[in-house]
Amino acid sequence: MKFSLESVYTWYRNLLRNPKYRWWVILGTLVYIASPIDIAPDFIPIVGEIDDVLLLTLLVTEVSGLVIEGWKARKGYVETNTTPTTENSSATGNTVDVDAVSVK
């Protein structure tokens, strides 16, 4: 098995996205950040804070992404349950994501 930073990131992200383990991972990450026992000890200037900053950045990025996805899902759920207010309205409440490509 090949070890890489990308594989650790993918593993951590997948653990956060699993609702069964999400709160344990968040709690564990916060304890790790507050703990003086790290991969790079905090008493070493700059280097000691790098692992904490990287982990905190990853945690905030992933949790904010989950919050935004949840918000969009709830908003989409509310929109699909509303009925059109006018007779000529053809709104279904479904959202379609489209990737734009340039055509030359």
Side-chain angles (χ1 to χ4, degrees), residues 53-82:
V53 169
L54 290 175
L55 196 58
L56 186 62
T57 303
L58 181 60
L59 177 70
V60 169
T61 302
E62 291 301 320
V63 170
S64 65
L66 289 170
V67 168
I68 290 170
E69 285 176 13
W71 180 75
K72 284 182 179 179
R74 265 189 248 132
K75 184 178 178 190
Y77 177 74
V78 170
E79 286 178 1
T80 58
N81 288 335
T82 59

Side-chain angles (χ1 to χ4, degrees), residues 1-45:
M1 184 171 160
K2 184 180 169 185
F3 176 81
S4 69
L5 193 55
E6 184 178 349
S7 65
V8 172
Y9 168 72
T10 303
W11 171 79
Y12 184 80
R13 187 180 73 202
N14 290 337
L15 249 147
L16 268 175
R17 292 181 179 270
N18 186 341
K20 185 177 180 182
Y21 303 114
R22 181 175 301 142
W23 291 109
W24 288 109
V25 173
I26 292 170
L27 180 65
T29 301
L30 294 175
V31 167
Y32 177 83
I33 290 169
S35 171
I37 303 170
D38 289 343
I39 293 172
D42 291 340
F43 63 84
I44 301 173

Side-chain angles (χ1 to χ4, degrees), residues 97-102:
D97 290 331
V98 178
D99 292 330
V101 251
S102 63

